[in-house]
Amino acid sequence: MAISSPGLGSNLDVNSIVSQLMALEQRPLTALAKKEAGFQAKISALGSLQSAVSALQTAAGNLVPATGSTPLQKFSVFRTALSDATIASASASSGAVAGSYRLDVTRLASQHVIASATGAASPFSGAGTTLPTGGTLTLSLDSAGGSSPHKSTAITIADGATPENVRDAINSASAGVSAVVINGTAGKQLVLTSDAAGSNQIVTLAGIPGLAYDPNATPVPATDPFAQTQAAQGSAFKLNGIAVEASSNSVTTAIDGVTINLLKGPELPATSVSTTLTISRDTASLNSGVNALVKSFNEFHTTASSLGSYDAASKRAGALNGDGTLRTAQENVRTALGKVPTELAGASLQRLTDIGVTLQKDGKLNIDSAKLGKAIGDDLAGVANLVSAYGKAFRTATEGLTGSGGLIAARSEGLSTSIKGLGQQSEVISARLTQIEARYRKQFTALDTLMAGMTKTSSFLQQQLANLPTYNQGS
């Protein structure tokens, strides 16, 4: 088989010629690739814009109170502090009032503890120290003298149950009571302890003759073989000399908007332990909220300005220069900044400049911290209303831009569709270029073969001419 290679024998560089011709033919494909790269750059730029707008929207939304709440309530944050944190802890809601209180704890709430009797009175008097007859045990938690338990649990106890069997059944029932078996000098005793401390945690037992306890019975009847070893009681303390009692160690009714958790009581011979509770207003959340809004606004401005920029000297334009989506975003944000919200009509504070937030020549916002702090100190409600109103305005201005159905997403989807169309065009052109290249190669290969044949013919003729006899005219 003869070996053929383009240009062999004719010195015709077929590969180079075809490559140069195909470079010209591929110009439309190159143009499509360049156009696609431009679309991809716009999609990336829109992603940056979306991120900046979303950050502004989040910062703005954080300034708007929840439904049913007022701006003042949102930003009325109170802090609590105790001079001795081992005695108590506290938390405050928006309904609190700033102040200082002397707290004297005279008694902590305690858990209720009952234990079964021993010897002949023990409920576990059956063979092998077991409960002769089981049934359904009703275990309840109630207040002293109460008849309507706040928690009641039915527990199945088998005939012949051991103290350990009863213990496990109670602990598995989540009845608000913990059971243990203590094996003392007088024998095994079943000890029940309320999980929580308080005067409303009194344990009662009923339903099984051997497992019974009625705290209201005086004296304890023989049918109640359990006895109290620690009384359930509430807490007692004084606030600024005023006596207060509560059912537990967590107290929510002593001071409006304040929860006090008592942690330590007195040890004999002391009759009380004391600490100072201080409640103060904290405006940090309002201050930080304004700063977060300004920061996100400035970042949006920087991003948007860069994406829409044009450098006349280098003739370089930002990825979204002249883009309508970018212009809409900028216009929406500028409108929210410059227009006084309707809910501030007639208010003494109506513009961000009133609290020290001003627009600079470079288009960014600047905060006068001293002016903001003074405004908050002089009129907290007014500043809260203003900040909330502008937060709502910025949030509304950005809502139509972000999200899956927003303007930015729609623009990105349109560009993605265009890229898909370019890809289809590229496939058609690529298929056509494959055919063109094949035709070029076929044509130039044929030319190469023809030229090679002509070269051979020329060489043959030259050889034949060289072999012809020569005649000397002078002979």
Side-chain angles (χ1 to χ4, degrees):
M1 178 184 292
I3 299 176
S4 175
S5 177
L8 186 61
S10 68
N11 293 323
L12 183 65
D13 192 349
V14 175
N15 288 331
S16 177
I17 294 172
V18 172
S19 295
Q20 292 180 53
L21 288 172
M22 291 308 299
L24 295 174
E25 295 286 354
Q26 287 176 350
R27 284 181 178 178
L29 196 61
T30 303
L32 289 177
K34 184 177 181 181
K35 195 171 184 179
E36 180 180 344
F39 286 165
Q40 292 286 8
K42 284 184 180 292
I43 291 176
S44 178
L46 286 168
S48 298
L49 179 63
Q50 170 104 347
S51 178
V53 172
S54 295
L56 177 58
Q57 186 181 70
T58 298
N62 289 338
L63 300 177
V64 181
T67 302
S69 179
T70 67
L72 181 59
Q73 289 174 329
K74 176 176 178 60
F75 295 110
S76 290
V77 180
F78 288 88
R79 303 294 182 191
T80 60
L82 290 108
S83 57
D84 188 340
T86 66
I87 294 176
S89 64
S91 60
S93 67
S94 60
V97 177
S100 182
Y101 304 85
R102 177 182 171 84
L103 172 62
D104 302 301
V105 181
T106 56
R107 184 183 71 223
L108 284 182
S110 59
Q111 297 164 285
H112 192 210
V113 183
I114 60 174
S116 63
T118 58
S122 171
F124 302 100
S125 57
T129 315
T130 60
L131 182 70
T133 305
T136 299
L137 173 67
T138 300
L139 191 158
S140 303
L141 294 171
D142 203 350
S143 300
S147 58
S148 300
H150 59 81
K151 186 176 179 67
S152 187
T153 307
I155 304 170
T156 301
I157 304 296
D159 294 342
T162 64
E164 289 80 8
N165 294 149
V166 177
R167 174 200 63 195
D168 295 343
I170 292 175
N171 289 338
S172 299
S174 300
V177 173
S178 297
V180 296
V181 175
I182 297 179
N183 193 8
T185 57
K188 290 183 179 181
Q189 288 180 271
L190 179 64
V191 181
L192 306 182
T193 305
S194 62
D195 291 344
S199 58
N200 62 347
Q201 299 295 314
I202 296 176
V203 179
T204 63
L205 304 174
I208 298 178
L211 299 178
Y213 177 74
D214 181 0
N216 297 315
T218 305
V220 177
T223 55
D224 285 7
F226 277 79
Q228 175 178 281
T229 60
Q230 178 174 290
Q233 64 180 4
S235 58
F237 56 95
K238 291 182 179 180
L239 280 172
N240 286 354
I242 299 175
V244 181
E245 290 189 354
S247 61
S248 69
N249 289 321
S250 180
V251 186
T252 59
T253 56
I255 307 174
D256 287 343
V258 179
T259 297
I260 301 173
N261 296 300
L262 304 178
L263 304 175
K264 184 172 73 175
E267 296 181 5
L268 294 175
T271 57
S272 67
V273 289
S274 302
T275 185
T276 300
L277 167 63
T278 302
I279 303 169
S280 58
R281 189 185 295 276
D282 184 3
T283 60
S285 63
L286 181 54
N287 199 307
S288 62
V290 174
N291 277 273
L293 179 67
V294 169
K295 180 176 182 291
S296 61
F297 177 95
N298 289 342
E299 289 175 349
F300 165 79
H301 174 75
T302 299
T303 299
S305 297
S306 175
L307 295 175
S309 65
Y310 180 76
D311 187 340
S314 63
K315 296 183 179 181
R316 293 178 63 88
L320 296 180
N321 177 261
D323 189 273
T325 302
L326 174 61
R327 286 198 304 270
T328 299
Q330 291 175 308
E331 290 169 2
N332 286 2
V333 172
R334 279 196 293 264
T335 300
L337 176 65
K339 184 180 179 181
V340 175
T342 54
E343 55 263 50
L344 296 179
S348 58
L349 299 176
Q350 294 187 336
R351 295 187 176 277
L352 289 173
T353 53
D354 295 334
I355 61 172
V357 180
T358 56
L359 185 65
Q360 302 177 111
K361 291 182 179 180
D362 61 359
K364 294 183 179 181
L365 294 177
N366 180 63
I367 298 178
D368 184 336
S369 299
K371 186 173 182 179
L372 175 59
K374 186 177 186 306
I376 292 174
D378 293 344
D379 187 1
L380 175 62
V383 175
N385 288 335
L386 181 142
V387 168
S388 175
Y390 275 94
K392 188 181 298 183
F394 279 112
R395 186 180 66 180
T396 301
T398 55
E399 280 177 345
L401 300 170
T402 59
S404 58
L407 184 62
I408 296 175
R411 177 75 172 115
S412 295
E413 289 173 5
L415 290 170
S416 296
T417 300
S418 297
I419 290 174
K420 184 177 180 180
L422 292 177
Q424 293 172 344
Q425 293 180 50
S426 296
E427 290 176 1
V428 172
I429 293 175
S430 295
R432 183 171 60 83
L433 290 177
T434 300
Q435 295 174 351
I436 291 174
E437 182 176 4
R439 187 175 72 249
Y440 280 154
R441 287 194 176 276
K442 182 177 181 181
Q443 291 174 343
F444 282 100
T445 299
L447 178 60
D448 175 44
T449 302
L450 178 61
M451 292 180 65
M454 294 176 66
T455 299
K456 289 180 180 179
T457 300
S458 175
S459 297
F460 174 76
L461 292 175
Q462 287 178 359
Q463 290 176 0
Q464 293 301 317
L465 291 173
N467 292 329
L468 290 176
T470 57
Y471 296 95
N472 190 338
Q473 296 179 354
S475 58

